[in-house]
Structures are given as C-alpha cells and as structure tokens.
Amino acid sequence: MSRNSIRFIKLIRSFSTEATQISKPERIADELLNLNKFERHDFTILWRLKMGLDRYGAPVAGPGPLGPTSSDPTSAAATAAATEKTAFDIKLEKYDAGAKIKIIKEVRSFTDLGLKEAKDLVEKFPCVLKKGITKDEAGPIIEKLKELGATVVLDN
C-alpha cells in the first residue's frame, strides 16, 4: 500500500467523537472523495479484506446472513457443489530405486524443469510434482509414473 493510503487508514482510525456538526459517515465520505485513484484502489482492497470478501467479491462462506443456513437443504447442496475441488496436486510418495532415472525423465516431460531440478525434486520425496491441475490432466501422468514404479497420489 502507498504511504498516503496508510495515512488515510490511520486518519480513519483516529476519528473520535468530536463536537462537530458533521457526522462520522460524512467525514469518511469526504476523505474518500479526496483520495487519488491509487489510494482508492488500496482502500477497496483493504475494505474487502476487512469485510471477509474474496477477490471476486463473493462473501466468504460461514455463519451469518450471507452464509449457508442449516435449515435450507438446497443451499447445503449448492455449497457442497461450489466447494468441490477442481485443482489437484500430484504428489510423489516413493519410488523404486532402479526406476529413478525413468521417473526423472517422466517428471521432466510434464514439467518445465531442467535435469538437475527434476533430479533434486524426485530425490526429496515425498514431494509435490505438479500443482493445480485437473483430474483429467493428472490421470495419464499418474498412470505413467505408476507403470515406472512410483507411488503417486492425487492430493487435494
């Protein structure tokens, strides 16, 4: 955040019950109108974080008026469908020592790693080989590594 944004935040926090005719919301609105474009951007990010909103503006699931209620079965089903994991990690648990070179070559084929980086990654098992891929992309990779003698899991 910029220095002006930090000063603005401190200014908002320093508001106290002063004996003025202007109400606190009016003072805050006046200060917001005086911010430049970058300060407004920093303020909106800070505001969303303080309000518990994610980067897309949807409320974070939890108890309260915006979260799911236990009395509504359709909202529970919708929440379960919305939280279904779509991105997975491929995790190498262990491998046969004789198949180490083949596994390193296979790791290089589906990552952008060089020979040394792939070797170091495979040698420090258990480790995550690839992050954030779909089940469809992970299936062939896992099958190939299992054929080579590695124990691989799809991690949530």
Side-chain angles (χ1 to χ4, degrees):
M1 284 198 287
S2 68
R3 192 174 297 157
N4 289 335
S5 298
I6 295 171
R7 278 191 272 156
F8 173 72
I9 293 168
K10 288 179 182 177
L11 178 67
I12 288 178
R13 288 182 183 160
S14 69
F15 280 138
S16 62
T17 55
E18 299 171 350
T20 61
Q21 299 293 348
I22 301 174
S23 68
K24 189 173 183 177
E26 288 179 28
R27 287 193 309 253
I28 293 172
D30 289 339
E31 289 294 325
L32 288 174
L33 290 173
N34 291 331
L35 295 177
N36 67 32
K37 183 165 72 169
F38 299 112
E39 292 169 335
R40 280 193 306 261
H41 176 73
D42 291 343
F43 175 77
T44 55
I45 291 172
L46 178 66
W47 178 256
R48 287 175 186 257
L49 289 172
K50 295 277 187 181
M51 294 300 291
L53 303 175
D54 69 2
R55 65 184 262 216
Y56 299 111
V60 176
L66 298 177
T69 60
S70 61
S71 62
D72 187 11
T74 58
S75 69
T79 303
T83 59
E84 184 178 328
K85 189 86 169 162
T86 58
F88 298 92
D89 300 338
I90 297 177
K91 186 174 182 181
L92 175 67
E93 295 288 325
K94 60 183 178 179
Y95 59 88
D96 294 332
K100 179 178 171 181
I101 295 172
K102 293 177 185 176
I103 292 171
I104 292 171
K105 286 181 181 179
E106 185 61 28
V107 168
R108 287 190 66 207
S109 71
F110 65 84
T111 62
D112 293 332
L113 299 175
L115 182 60
K116 181 171 176 18
E117 292 86 8
K119 179 181 177 281
D120 292 342
L121 182 65
V122 169
E123 287 177 345
K124 68 173 189 171
F125 69 91
C127 61
V128 175
L129 298 176
K130 188 145 178 123
K131 293 183 180 183
I133 62 172
T134 63
K135 280 187 178 181
D136 296 335
E137 294 172 344
I141 295 170
I142 291 174
E143 292 295 321
K144 182 67 175 171
L145 288 170
K146 284 184 179 180
E147 287 175 13
L148 296 174
T151 303
V152 184
V153 294
L154 194 60
D155 202 20
N156 294 357

